Amino acid sequence: MAAFPARRGQMHLGAFFHPTGNHVASWLHPGAQADAGLNIDHYIEITRTAERGKFDMIFLADAVATRDGNLVALKRWPQYMAYFEPTTLLAALAVATSHIGLVCTATTSYNEPYNIARRFASLDMISRGRIGWNVVTSANLTEAFNFGREAHYEHGERYDRALEFTEAVQGLWDSWDDDAFLIDRASATYFDPEKLHFLHHKGEHFSVRGPLNVPRSPQGQPVLFQAGSSEAGKEAAARFAEGVFTAQYTLQGGQAFYSDLKGRMAKYGRRPDKLHILPGLNAIAGRTEKAAREKHAELQALIHPDVGLELLSNTLAGFDLRPYDLDGPLPPEAFALTTNGSTTALRNVLGWARDENLTIRQLYQRFAGARGQRTLVGSAEQIADEMERWFVNHASDGFLIQPSHLPEGLDDFVDLVVPILQERGLLRRDYTGTTLRDHLGLEPPPSRYAKRPAAAE
Ligand SMILES: Cc1cc2nc3c(=O)[nH]c(=O)nc-3n(C[C@H](O)[C@H](O)[C@H](O)COP(=O)(O)O)c2cc1C
């Protein structure tokens, strides 16, 4: 292994559980649980596997709508069509595990702060301090249709709402001082009213009186995560996030994002080590590089052309590729396309088609397989080397591991890669604390009322 400049400490690991796995065709693979989205035994098994691998946490994404689009393609892809609501699921996983952190998404666009504050505080009590909330503004535009709107909020407004929403939630989480509940039968006193605080939040988007009907949580407050990488997303993260999920592809890109985001924190009075940046890693590990490549090829071969073409044509601004030969080149008109969607993805796809002469099938296989996430296929040693390279060179504080198919892809990672990371001192051999904040080395945030006398309310 190459000699790296030393960086002290251990990396933080999250396991991102798309029900059947990150690969678009994972549910068709024999090593995946086909009905995973609605199989509680499956979720318990994979969460316990991640706990055995001493991960800091698992992470569940969410949307408050199904996927929308061409049903001919959608019928071949279960993701976001039928699965457990994640906060409900985390409650079950909390009682089936003892140490691992449990993180899920809830959107600030289609919720109210009181509901979210209550749900996550409650989960933090049930899990004894292991909960995190991934604050998103909703990537799925059709969620609007389920909440009385005809269009999604515009990007800037979404983030304005997210900032105010999060502030209100944090305020509600401080409704009670840590020692507010006396539960004293002798004096017939359940709580001390001096230690109860009304929020009285009145902002542009939300009005919340409080107090919350759940005490301060065992880790002070649940841990806040954020996963948007736009300017507004980075600014929001610098302000309140304690963990960030991001898609980064190159060491240089990862380093630039890392120093940019950490550099924004000072103006909010925050130290850079109060936020952990975890780029996604779709790691396909084998005992040998050849075994890993074979596994990856198996998955790639399972991508149904309907699904591949749908994903590719979404990226190509809706350009219909069905009339064309899958094993032929992209038609010349495609190279003139522009998009209102992701310009980065469009540029990447057209670049591959032009520079490497990829056929339509090869293009969708490359793009659709990992759905735009960074894929690393190799021996366990090679994957550990690459993770170490990013970590010691300040491109990340750890990784969000996105197993290609579940449970098998996670088993491979935990059995093959984790021991190498532990051997190198880069990953804990056992948990030294019990809360998610303990694992992440983050102090419980003091209550906003801690040093002040209780307000007259
Ligand atoms: C690892 C990861 C997980 C995400 N999970 C969700 C999710 O569960 N729900 C969602 O609506 N968006 C999710 N997103 C999308 C972002 O939160 C964000 O909405 C999107 O990137 C657009 O924001 P931006 O313009 O600031 O980048 C996720 C993004 C990443 C990288």
Side-chain angles (χ1 to χ4, degrees):
M1 195 194 76
F4 296 112
R7 171 184 173 172
R8 284 168 53 214
Q10 295 181 329
M11 55 177 74
H12 298 288
L13 289 189
F16 187 170
F17 291 160
H18 289 299
T20 60
N22 184 65
H23 195 278
V24 72
S26 50
W27 74 282
L28 296 168
H29 192 278
Q33 180 67 40
D35 67 353
L38 298 167
N39 185 324
I40 185 63
D41 295 329
H42 166 75
Y43 277 107
I44 291 174
E45 177 191 335
I46 57 180
T47 306
R48 285 180 174 160
T49 303
E51 191 167 60
R52 176 163 65 79
K54 311 303 173 195
F55 277 63
D56 294 66
M57 66 203 153
I58 64 152
F59 165 61
L60 305 172
D62 193 39
V64 284
T66 58
R67 269 183 200 285
D68 228 30
N70 173 6
L71 285 171
V72 171
L74 288 181
K75 74 174 183 190
R76 304 190 188 283
W77 186 18
Q79 205 199 356
Y80 291 123
M81 300 313 281
Y83 65 112
F84 296 128
E85 187 285 313
T87 56
T88 321
L89 177 55
L90 287 192
L93 297 178
V95 295
T97 54
S98 59
H99 284 76
I100 192 161
L102 305 162
V103 181
C104 76
T105 288
T107 176
T108 55
S109 294
Y110 304 109
N111 277 302
E112 283 287 323
Y114 198 94
N115 299 126
I116 292 303
R118 184 180 188 212
R119 214 175 296 156
F120 281 82
S122 206
L123 276 173
D124 217 35
M125 301 294 291
I126 292 171
S127 66
R128 300 186 167 90
R130 294 187 280 137
I131 293 297
W133 168 33
N134 180 37
V135 180
V136 307
T137 61
S138 282
N140 180 341
L141 307 184
T142 66
E143 292 181 16
F145 306 150
N146 296 331
F147 294 87
R149 290 179 60 87
E150 294 189 357
H152 194 11
Y153 297 97
E154 154 295 302
H155 196 268
E157 188 182 5
R158 267 167 24 211
Y159 272 105
D160 284 348
R161 284 175 58 92
L163 291 178
E164 192 189 327
F165 191 115
T166 310
E167 258 176 50
V169 168
Q170 288 179 299
L172 286 168
W173 281 338
D174 282 346
S175 291
W176 302 88
D177 291 346
D178 288 324
D179 54 354
F181 287 90
L182 306 170
I183 314 185
D184 181 27
R185 282 177 172 156
S187 63
T189 308
Y190 202 79
F191 65 86
D192 179 351
E194 296 278 294
K195 296 180 174 172
L196 162 64
H197 310 278
F198 288 76
L199 183 62
H200 293 305
H201 172 88
K202 274 204 185 344
E204 196 183 330
H205 304 283
F206 304 102
S207 168
V208 191
R209 194 197 69 167
L212 194 66
N213 49 4
V214 188
R216 270 234 331 156
S217 86
Q219 50 178 353
Q221 296 188 351
V223 182
L224 293 182
F225 291 80
Q226 206 284 134
S229 297
S230 61
E231 277 301 302
K234 284 188 281 198
E235 216 46 48
R239 195 157 154 161
F240 65 73
E242 300 171 289
V244 161
F245 304 137
T246 177
Q248 300 294 330
Y249 307 98
T250 62
L251 179 69
Q252 292 71 20
Q255 286 171 323
F257 181 85
Y258 188 94
S259 59
D260 174 5
L261 180 45
K262 297 234 174 184
R264 293 173 192 240
M265 295 174 71
K267 65 175 172 288
Y268 299 108
R270 302 183 67 206
R271 290 205 333 247
D273 61 353
K274 297 291 174 199
L275 181 163
H276 298 305
I277 298 179
L278 308 180
L281 189 59
N282 182 27
I284 301 185
R287 288 191 191 280
T288 61
E289 183 181 339
K290 183 164 172 284
R293 295 214 170 278
E294 281 167 7
K295 192 161 287 185
H296 185 230
E298 264 174 47
L299 282 159
Q300 293 292 84
L302 290 172
I303 303 174
H304 195 285
D306 289 350
V307 177
L309 286 178
E310 168 79 359
L311 285 169
L312 190 55
S313 97
N314 286 347
T315 305
L316 298 175
F319 189 88
D320 187 2
L321 291 162
R322 281 171 299 181
Y324 300 92
D325 176 9
L326 287 188
D327 296 308
L330 265 191
E333 315 84 278
F335 290 91
L337 291 169
T338 56
T339 181
N340 275 333
S342 171
T343 46
T344 315
L346 177 67
R347 206 174 41 237
N348 283 342
V349 165
L350 294 179
W352 299 331
R354 192 181 44 242
D355 303 340
E356 302 178 47
N357 289 321
L358 297 191
T359 64
I360 293 178
R361 191 191 306 276
Q362 288 167 329
L363 268 183
Y364 78 59
Q365 284 192 335
R366 178 168 313 175
F367 177 75
R371 283 178 290 138
Q373 301 294 327
R374 178 173 181 233
T375 300
L376 195 57
V377 184
S379 69
E381 281 280 338
Q382 288 170 325
I383 287 173
D385 283 354
E386 188 62 6
M387 292 173 73
E388 180 168 3
R389 196 163 76 93
W390 278 51
F391 178 69
V392 301
N393 287 304
H394 303 275
S396 79
D397 296 307
F399 296 90
L400 184 63
I401 301 298
Q402 302 168 328
S404 53
H405 57 304
L406 289 163
E408 192 180 77
L410 179 68
D411 291 339
D412 287 345
F413 188 89
V414 168
D415 293 338
L416 302 175
V417 183
V418 162
I420 299 174
L421 296 174
Q422 289 172 328
E423 193 55 41
R424 295 182 188 178
L426 290 166
L427 182 66
R428 65 176 70 79
R429 287 184 186 274
D430 209 348
Y431 296 105
T432 50
T434 56
T435 68
L436 178 54
R437 286 188 182 281
D438 289 339
H439 308 336
L440 293 170
L442 298 168
E443 295 292 316
S447 164
R448 65 190 55 201
Y449 306 105
K451 295 222 164 54
R452 292 191 236 143
E457 287 147 349

